Amino acid sequence: MSHFWINEKKVFYEDEGSGKPIVLLNGIMMSTRSWAPFVDTFKANNRLIRVDFFDQGQTDKLLGATYTHQIQVDLLKSLFDHLKLEQASIVGISYGGEIAIQFAIQHKSKVDRLVLFNTAAYTNPWLKDIGRAWMAAGKTRDGEAYYNTAIPVIYSPLFYETNQDWMQNRRKVLVPVFSNALFLDQMERLTQSSESYDVRNTISTIEAETLIVSAEEDYLTPVDNQSYVAKAIKNSHWVKIPGAGHASMYEKPLLFSTLCLGFINAKDTKYTI
Amino acid sequence: MSHFWINEKKVFYEDEGSGKPIVLLNGIMMSTRSWAPFVDTFKANNRLIRVDFFDQGQTDKLLGATYTHQIQVDLLKSLFDHLKLEQASIVGISYGGEIAIQFAIQHKSKVDRLVLFNTAAYTNPWLKDIGRAWMAAGKTRDGEAYYNTAIPVIYSPLFYETNQDWMQNRRKVLVPVFSNALFLDQMERLTQSSESYDVRNTISTIEAETLIVSAEEDYLTPVDNQSYVAKAIKNSHWVKIPGAGHASMYEKPLLFSTLCLGFINAKDTKYTI
Amino acid sequence: MSHFWINEKKVFYEDEGSGKPIVLLNGIMMSTRSWAPFVDTFKANNRLIRVDFFDQGQTDKLLGATYTHQIQVDLLKSLFDHLKLEQASIVGISYGGEIAIQFAIQHKSKVDRLVLFNTAAYTNPWLKDIGRAWMAAGKTRDGEAYYNTAIPVIYSPLFYETNQDWMQNRRKVLVPVFSNALFLDQMERLTQSSESYDVRNTISTIEAETLIVSAEEDYLTPVDNQSYVAKAIKNSHWVKIPGAGHASMYEKPLLFSTLCLGFINAKDTKYTI
Amino acid sequence: MSHFWINEKKVFYEDEGSGKPIVLLNGIMMSTRSWAPFVDTFKANNRLIRVDFFDQGQTDKLLGATYTHQIQVDLLKSLFDHLKLEQASIVGISYGGEIAIQFAIQHKSKVDRLVLFNTAAYTNPWLKDIGRAWMAAGKTRDGEAYYNTAIPVIYSPLFYETNQDWMQNRRKVLVPVFSNALFLDQMERLTQSSESYDVRNTISTIEAETLIVSAEEDYLTPVDNQSYVAKAIKNSHWVKIPGAGHASMYEKPLLFSTLCLGFINAKDTKYTI
């Protein structure tokens, strides 16, 4: 458990293991703790760095603030500086993938390899309105309503149905959190910070070798969106996970490890076939 | 504009044109009026019958009632009786497709050909919770919240984005409707009537020649659900519409006409190739 | 059974039924007779015109000649002239779809609606080499070899497996044909006539309302090729048939009728939703 | 360069690097040499063992023999015995994947993790006839004919088109090989050895953690076939590679390394999410 400060705001991170460094970036509703199931596997051969963005987990809240993704991109840059990280591979999912893309555009030399799970190149009007539904559900302070609005859509119908006990437990854990005004306000600020996200003009400047992972039942950043990212990034490699939804790392955890570690640790990226 | 009565409840229907009869069944948020753009084309060579289910359009509300789909299946049977329809082809989308399936199971001799757009065989736990999100949004009486919760998800992201003027107009028209307590209570009853829907044990008894139409960007009754229906119905024929969402008839109107009329009016269904 | 002459070559065609005219164009190995299973259904409400291209069926062979698709496009124009057809809808599959596209580019006013099954916009190097494998198999005059080279690839593996009796019968019928030098030379000329096919520069000028039908298990003109055609033609409408191969009209005959007749006979093509 | 003997037949293998052992099994037309581009990456952290099956590469030919896959499964068992390998992970593509499946069924304790690229559970009638087309082309001793019959179909059309120089070079290298009677006879025996392949009754007994990798443009063992394998093996994990064909390791080499090494080297296979 470590931290550093940005303008009197505490930023929480975890830095474990050794080897090629991997920075793992959270989805919007996640925190460093969400990755607990993966830590052992990731730190077996790598240095694993996790961080809570502003308004996530143990990093400070930005009460009353309005901000864009840039504040998180800068937080990430501060983390690299604080750790004196010359270069690292970055894995991001969804919100975290979007921050990763922007970091890779702005700080090219800092990024070794890039792994993007369930990540889009911009917040389209459709997703913007879905975000607004989440924010409206948050305003009610009704944890059940927020859960039903924001959670089913991030899982595939099949996973949701075949893991009903697990889902029931998620509900039990999350409804109190989703009834908490402080948390809901964090979620609102994070959601709002994504409204203006659009890297379509700059994404093609990314130079890092990039792995794009799409889940076929992702109904927030559908395959079609990923196809755009895969085409826009020149050194990109694209795989699809059948039968998984937006929270793909929970639905297919071994594939998450396989793809991240396999891609980042592969000795060569270019092959003369 | 015609009507008949079931237990002192008025049922509204439209009966136009002549030729092979087609009964067109509404999705959950629709009414007979929603099909206006298609009427000319459908009645050009066919008799077109539309009907509002209980709690839809101009058919009476069931204030304070709790019911299942069966009440609508029975309404449909009463319509056939009222019109002395020996047999008709039935087209249903989503909620309407589910009623059509149940009618085809219960009244085999009444159904000529069956066309199912965006229709599932049961309400899975995932969809059930999405329905609960809609109901919770309805309780707020906040038309914008209801719109953002229920509308984006029924369109493909691409349609939503490339038809922003049209979508803005929908919003203008629908937000007042979605702020109306009577309407929201109707929607709640209709949504609840779907919670117990499950025909997996009986769907294979359908004998009607059936066309299944899936939209590839349908995020409420995804392609995988349709695959189940296509396999379960023995005389089934399956097509997919790329790039369309759940409200496929609005996104691809000419394909809607093409598929319904082509399938129902084709002289032969069996071919000795 | 009718015919007309082009430069002392007899061109065979069939002209049946009445109503909106439909011209049905053969795939490379087909002839007017191949459509026999569909004639009753098509002529029920339409005038159905079929024609054998040069080196097909009962139209004269072009012994020793080398030609491109243009000769068939011109044959089609002569047919329109001979029949004094002001305008007709055209349905083509594969080779026939390619001729249809070129006719629609060159004779815009003659084409009402266009239906393209399993049709590409150009013969890519991959397909060119597959064509060369067919030609090499033809040179052996070994009917079994030609059958195994050219036939499996035009069906989906599933259809091939679940219709083994039918396939065995096809083999029995086709192996003698595929052992016939005259037929194999016709096939060689037809195959060669496709090598230079490429409408990528002009396809976007097509104005006809167009239906693109792709089969998901089409391994000669895969879905990706159809996607190109669907994007290139402005008034296009695209559907996919799951589980069908290149000879989609034989695998899914009712869908073939449904799509052709539904699209061509739909009163309106534009809908104000 | 090492070898051992089975019944006076020399079996050639390569055994390099150290770490968790990986046995890499060739596709039908491949040999140990075909993996040269991957050796450095695979042996960076693993022991890499390659082997030529009978009638492949530097392993002895079985002139005049008729055999089934079992002879290769036994060869693989002999290799494990020769190397005193207690257990290893196995990667197989196509033919090699089929041998890997049968080995995993027959020698459960020997298999750690299993990675199957482009591998089916049985030779269906469709693939059987395609194999016969290859054999017929082989009989002509015409290298160009064999190339055009067997090569395009193993690449995606897009790869074939965008790598024309590379493909032209393949042609230059392969046509002489494909004109060689000894090689063509080997190919015929290998092709014939696959005709009776069918593990549908036993595949579900596989216990090894298994990664299934399908290529979306694989036209020999299409995605649908892989779906069967993914469902039949209980501890299976499935990914798809968009835009790649049957020879997926050449079209997407970095994904090949990523998936094999990531899956085999991941510390944990089970995650408590």
Side-chain angles (χ1 to χ4, degrees):
Chain A
M1 271 195 279
S2 313
H3 65 269
F4 67 97
W5 299 84
I6 301 179
N7 298 333
E8 297 174 26
K9 294 286 177 189
K10 184 150 71 162
V11 176
F12 176 84
Y13 70 95
E14 298 270 14
D15 185 358
E16 296 163 280
S18 62
K20 251 185 115 171
I22 299 175
V23 177
L24 197 48
L25 300 181
N26 308 327
I28 196 166
M29 257 184 250
M30 297 171 69
S31 74
T32 51
R33 285 178 179 152
S34 310
W35 301 108
F38 298 97
V39 171
D40 265 9
T41 294
F42 272 67
K43 75 182 191 196
N45 296 298
N46 290 87
R47 176 179 174 191
L48 175 66
I49 300 158
R50 292 174 286 157
V51 63
D52 285 330
F53 289 126
F54 287 121
D55 279 320
Q56 284 193 330
Q58 297 165 74
T59 287
D60 277 354
K61 294 174 184 54
L62 296 182
L63 296 168
T66 310
Y67 53 88
T68 68
H69 279 180
Q70 189 59 41
I71 204 172
Q72 317 283 24
V73 177
D74 294 343
L75 175 152
L76 185 55
K77 178 59 166 51
S78 299
L79 176 68
F80 270 68
D81 292 344
H82 172 74
L83 296 174
K84 300 190 171 50
L85 264 180
E86 282 304 309
Q87 198 179 52
S89 290
I90 303 183
V91 175
I93 184 161
S94 194
Y95 190 90
E98 297 176 3
I99 304 304
I101 284 179
Q102 291 165 94
F103 187 82
I105 290 168
Q106 296 174 31
H107 306 286
K108 292 190 168 50
S109 69
K110 293 287 176 195
V111 182
D112 181 2
R113 299 185 194 168
L114 192 57
V115 181
L116 304 171
F117 277 77
N118 309 81
T119 301
Y122 67 109
T123 304
N124 60 40
W126 176 85
L127 190 55
K128 216 169 281 182
D129 283 349
I130 288 176
R132 285 168 188 167
W134 294 24
M135 291 192 276
K139 295 266 193 236
T140 67
R141 307 317 199 192
D142 173 347
E144 285 282 347
Y146 195 84
Y147 185 93
N148 288 331
T149 305
I151 296 301
V153 76
I154 66 174
Y155 292 97
S156 72
L158 189 64
F159 180 86
Y160 206 84
E161 181 165 2
T162 52
N163 294 278
Q164 290 193 59
D165 288 348
W166 189 81
M167 290 307 317
Q168 278 314 110
N169 193 51
R170 291 295 281 176
R171 184 182 288 270
K172 212 181 305 176
V173 169
L174 290 176
V175 165
V177 178
F178 291 170
S179 305
N180 179 310
L182 281 175
F183 177 84
L184 291 166
D185 288 347
Q186 287 179 294
M187 279 302 303
E188 178 167 331
R189 290 190 294 273
L190 289 164
T191 305
Q192 245 165 355
S193 78
S194 293
E195 286 212 349
S196 59
Y197 170 63
D198 189 348
V199 294
R200 284 177 291 176
N201 284 330
T202 47
I203 190 169
S204 68
T205 67
I206 291 178
E207 285 159 10
E209 207 75 38
T210 304
L211 177 66
I212 316 289
V213 185
S214 307
E216 290 196 341
E217 309 298 321
D218 182 341
Y219 306 147
L220 281 182
T221 50
V223 167
D224 199 44
N225 290 184
Q226 320 283 303
S227 161
Y228 181 91
V229 174
K231 280 176 195 151
I233 297 180
K234 51 182 162 286
N235 295 313
S236 73
H237 308 265
W238 189 22
V239 301
K240 292 184 192 169
I241 305 182
H246 189 67
S248 57
M249 79 289 185
Y250 283 155
E251 296 199 27
K252 306 286 180 187
L254 178 50
L255 290 180
F256 182 78
S257 297
T258 293
L259 288 161
C260 292
L261 298 177
F263 187 75
I264 290 167
N265 292 331
K267 182 173 163 282
D268 299 308
T269 58
K270 305 298 180 193
Y271 296 78
T272 305
I273 55 164
Chain B
M1 271 194 280
S2 313
H3 66 270
F4 67 98
W5 299 84
I6 301 178
N7 299 331
E8 298 175 25
K9 294 286 177 189
K10 184 149 71 162
V11 176
F12 175 84
Y13 70 94
E14 298 270 16
D15 185 358
E16 297 163 278
S18 63
K20 252 185 114 174
I22 300 175
V23 178
L24 198 47
L25 300 180
N26 309 328
I28 197 166
M29 256 184 251
M30 297 170 70
S31 74
T32 50
R33 285 178 179 155
S34 311
W35 301 110
F38 298 96
V39 171
D40 265 8
T41 293
F42 273 67
K43 75 181 192 196
N45 295 299
N46 290 87
R47 175 179 175 190
L48 175 66
I49 300 158
R50 291 173 288 157
V51 62
D52 285 330
F53 288 126
F54 287 120
D55 279 323
Q56 283 192 331
Q58 297 165 75
T59 287
D60 278 354
K61 295 174 184 51
L62 296 182
L63 296 168
T66 311
Y67 54 87
T68 69
H69 280 178
Q70 189 59 42
I71 205 172
Q72 317 283 25
V73 178
D74 294 343
L75 175 153
L76 185 56
K77 178 59 168 52
S78 299
L79 176 68
F80 270 70
D81 292 345
H82 173 73
L83 295 175
K84 299 192 172 54
L85 262 181
E86 282 305 309
Q87 199 178 50
S89 291
I90 303 184
V91 175
I93 185 161
S94 194
Y95 190 90
E98 297 176 5
I99 304 304
I101 284 179
Q102 291 165 94
F103 187 83
I105 291 168
Q106 296 174 32
H107 306 287
K108 294 191 168 46
S109 68
K110 293 286 177 197
V111 182
D112 182 2
R113 298 184 195 169
L114 191 58
V115 180
L116 304 171
F117 276 77
N118 310 79
T119 300
Y122 67 109
T123 304
N124 60 41
W126 176 85
L127 190 54
K128 215 170 283 183
D129 284 348
I130 289 175
R132 284 168 188 167
W134 293 22
M135 292 191 276
K139 294 269 193 235
T140 66
R141 308 318 198 192
D142 174 347
E144 285 281 347
Y146 195 84
Y147 185 94
N148 288 331
T149 306
I151 295 301
V153 76
I154 65 174
Y155 292 96
S156 71
L158 190 64
F159 180 86
Y160 206 84
E161 182 166 2
T162 51
N163 294 276
Q164 290 193 60
D165 288 347
W166 188 81
M167 289 306 319
Q168 279 312 112
N169 193 51
R170 291 295 280 173
R171 184 182 288 271
K172 213 181 306 176
V173 170
L174 289 175
V175 166
V177 178
F178 291 170
S179 304
N180 178 309
L182 282 175
F183 177 84
L184 291 167
D185 288 347
Q186 286 178 295
M187 278 304 301
E188 178 167 332
R189 291 191 294 273
L190 288 164
T191 305
Q192 244 165 357
S193 79
S194 293
E195 286 212 349
S196 60
Y197 169 64
D198 190 347
V199 294
R200 283 176 292 176
N201 284 330
T202 47
I203 190 170
S204 67
T205 67
I206 290 179
E207 286 160 10
E209 207 75 37
T210 304
L211 176 66
I212 317 289
V213 185
S214 306
E216 291 197 339
E217 309 299 322
D218 182 340
Y219 306 146
L220 282 181
T221 52
V223 166
D224 199 44
N225 291 185
Q226 322 281 304
S227 162
Y228 181 92
V229 174
K231 280 175 194 151
I233 297 179
K234 49 183 164 289
N235 296 313
S236 74
H237 308 264
W238 188 21
V239 302
K240 291 184 193 168
I241 306 182
H246 189 67
S248 57
M249 79 286 184
Y250 283 155
E251 295 198 27
K252 307 286 180 186
L254 178 51
L255 291 180
F256 183 79
S257 297
T258 292
L259 288 161
C260 293
L261 299 177
F263 187 75
I264 290 168
N265 292 332
K267 180 171 164 283
D268 300 308
T269 59
K270 304 298 180 196
Y271 296 77
T272 305
I273 54 165
Chain C
M1 270 194 279
S2 314
H3 65 270
F4 66 98
W5 299 84
I6 301 179
N7 299 332
E8 297 175 27
K9 294 286 176 189
K10 183 149 73 162
V11 176
F12 176 83
Y13 69 95
E14 298 270 15
D15 184 359
E16 297 163 278
S18 62
K20 250 184 117 172
I22 300 175
V23 178
L24 198 47
L25 300 181
N26 308 328
I28 196 166
M29 258 184 252
M30 297 171 69
S31 74
T32 50
R33 285 179 178 153
S34 311
W35 301 109
F38 298 98
V39 170
D40 265 8
T41 293
F42 273 67
K43 74 181 192 196
N45 295 298
N46 291 85
R47 175 179 175 191
L48 175 66
I49 299 158
R50 291 173 288 158
V51 63
D52 285 330
F53 289 126
F54 287 120
D55 278 322
Q56 283 193 330
Q58 297 165 75
T59 288
D60 277 354
K61 294 173 186 52
L62 297 182
L63 295 169
T66 310
Y67 52 89
T68 69
H69 280 179
Q70 189 59 41
I71 204 172
Q72 316 283 23
V73 177
D74 294 343
L75 174 152
L76 186 56
K77 177 59 167 51
S78 299
L79 176 68
F80 270 69
D81 292 345
H82 173 73
L83 295 174
K84 300 191 171 54
L85 262 180
E86 283 302 312
Q87 198 179 50
S89 291
I90 304 183
V91 174
I93 185 161
S94 194
Y95 190 91
E98 297 176 4
I99 305 303
I101 285 179
Q102 291 164 95
F103 187 83
I105 290 169
Q106 297 174 31
H107 307 286
K108 292 190 169 48
S109 68
K110 293 286 176 196
V111 182
D112 181 2
R113 298 185 195 168
L114 191 57
V115 180
L116 304 171
F117 277 77
N118 309 81
T119 301
Y122 67 109
T123 304
N124 59 42
W126 176 86
L127 190 56
K128 215 169 283 183
D129 283 349
I130 289 176
R132 285 167 188 169
W134 294 23
M135 292 191 276
K139 295 266 192 238
T140 67
R141 308 317 198 193
D142 173 347
E144 285 281 347
Y146 195 84
Y147 185 94
N148 288 330
T149 305
I151 296 301
V153 76
I154 66 175
Y155 292 97
S156 72
L158 190 63
F159 180 85
Y160 206 84
E161 181 165 2
T162 52
N163 293 279
Q164 290 191 58
D165 287 348
W166 188 81
M167 290 306 319
Q168 280 312 113
N169 193 51
R170 292 293 281 174
R171 185 182 289 271
K172 213 180 306 176
V173 171
L174 290 174
V175 164
V177 178
F178 292 169
S179 304
N180 179 309
L182 281 174
F183 177 85
L184 291 167
D185 287 348
Q186 286 178 292
M187 278 303 302
E188 179 167 331
R189 290 190 294 272
L190 289 164
T191 304
Q192 245 165 356
S193 79
S194 293
E195 286 212 349
S196 60
Y197 170 65
D198 190 347
V199 294
R200 284 177 291 176
N201 285 330
T202 47
I203 190 170
S204 67
T205 67
I206 290 179
E207 286 159 10
E209 207 75 37
T210 304
L211 177 66
I212 316 290
V213 185
S214 307
E216 291 196 339
E217 310 298 321
D218 182 340
Y219 306 146
L220 281 182
T221 51
V223 166
D224 200 45
N225 290 185
Q226 320 282 304
S227 161
Y228 181 92
V229 175
K231 280 175 195 151
I233 297 180
K234 50 183 163 288
N235 296 313
S236 73
H237 307 265
W238 188 22
V239 302
K240 292 184 193 169
I241 306 182
H246 189 68
S248 57
M249 79 288 185
Y250 283 156
E251 296 199 27
K252 308 285 180 188
L254 178 50
L255 290 180
F256 182 79
S257 297
T258 292
L259 287 161
C260 293
L261 299 177
F263 187 75
I264 290 168
N265 292 330
K267 182 173 163 283
D268 300 309
T269 59
K270 304 298 181 197
Y271 296 78
T272 306
I273 54 164
Chain D
M1 272 195 277
S2 312
H3 65 270
F4 66 99
W5 298 83
I6 301 179
N7 298 332
E8 298 176 24
K9 294 286 176 190
K10 186 150 69 161
V11 176
F12 176 84
Y13 69 95
E14 297 270 15
D15 184 358
E16 297 163 279
S18 62
K20 252 186 116 173
I22 300 175
V23 178
L24 198 47
L25 301 180
N26 310 328
I28 197 166
M29 256 184 252
M30 297 171 69
S31 74
T32 50
R33 284 177 179 153
S34 311
W35 301 109
F38 298 98
V39 170
D40 265 9
T41 293
F42 273 67
K43 76 182 191 195
N45 295 298
N46 290 87
R47 176 180 174 190
L48 175 66
I49 299 158
R50 291 173 287 158
V51 63
D52 284 330
F53 289 126
F54 287 121
D55 279 322
Q56 283 192 330
Q58 296 165 75
T59 287
D60 277 354
K61 295 174 184 51
L62 296 182
L63 296 168
T66 311
Y67 53 88
T68 68
H69 279 179
Q70 189 60 40
I71 205 171
Q72 317 283 25
V73 177
D74 294 343
L75 174 153
L76 185 56
K77 178 60 167 52
S78 300
L79 176 68
F80 270 68
D81 292 345
H82 172 74
L83 295 174
K84 301 192 170 52
L85 263 181
E86 282 303 309
Q87 198 178 52
S89 292
I90 303 183
V91 175
I93 184 161
S94 194
Y95 190 90
E98 298 177 3
I99 304 304
I101 285 179
Q102 292 166 94
F103 187 82
I105 291 169
Q106 296 174 33
H107 306 288
K108 293 190 168 49
S109 68
K110 293 287 177 196
V111 182
D112 182 2
R113 299 183 195 169
L114 192 57
V115 180
L116 304 170
F117 276 77
N118 310 80
T119 301
Y122 68 108
T123 304
N124 60 41
W126 176 85
L127 190 55
K128 215 169 284 182
D129 283 349
I130 289 175
R132 285 168 188 167
W134 294 22
M135 292 190 278
K139 295 269 193 236
T140 66
R141 306 320 197 190
D142 173 348
E144 285 282 347
Y146 195 84
Y147 185 94
N148 288 331
T149 305
I151 295 301
V153 76
I154 66 175
Y155 292 96
S156 71
L158 189 63
F159 180 86
Y160 206 85
E161 181 166 1
T162 51
N163 294 277
Q164 290 192 59
D165 287 348
W166 189 81
M167 289 307 317
Q168 279 312 111
N169 193 51
R170 292 295 280 175
R171 184 182 288 270
K172 212 181 307 177
V173 170
L174 290 175
V175 165
V177 178
F178 291 171
S179 304
N180 178 310
L182 282 175
F183 177 84
L184 291 167
D185 288 347
Q186 287 178 294
M187 279 303 303
E188 178 167 333
R189 290 191 295 273
L190 289 163
T191 304
Q192 244 166 357
S193 79
S194 293
E195 285 212 348
S196 60
Y197 170 63
D198 190 347
V199 294
R200 283 176 293 175
N201 284 330
T202 47
I203 190 170
S204 67
T205 67
I206 290 178
E207 287 160 9
E209 208 75 36
T210 304
L211 176 66
I212 317 289
V213 185
S214 307
E216 291 196 340
E217 310 298 321
D218 182 341
Y219 306 146
L220 281 181
T221 52
V223 166
D224 199 46
N225 290 185
Q226 320 282 303
S227 161
Y228 181 92
V229 174
K231 280 175 194 151
I233 297 180
K234 50 182 163 287
N235 296 312
S236 74
H237 308 264
W238 189 22
V239 301
K240 291 184 194 167
I241 306 183
H246 189 67
S248 57
M249 79 288 185
Y250 283 156
E251 296 199 27
K252 307 285 180 186
L254 178 50
L255 291 179
F256 183 79
S257 297
T258 292
L259 287 161
C260 292
L261 299 177
F263 187 75
I264 289 168
N265 292 332
K267 182 172 162 283
D268 300 308
T269 59
K270 304 299 179 193
Y271 296 77
T272 306
I273 55 164

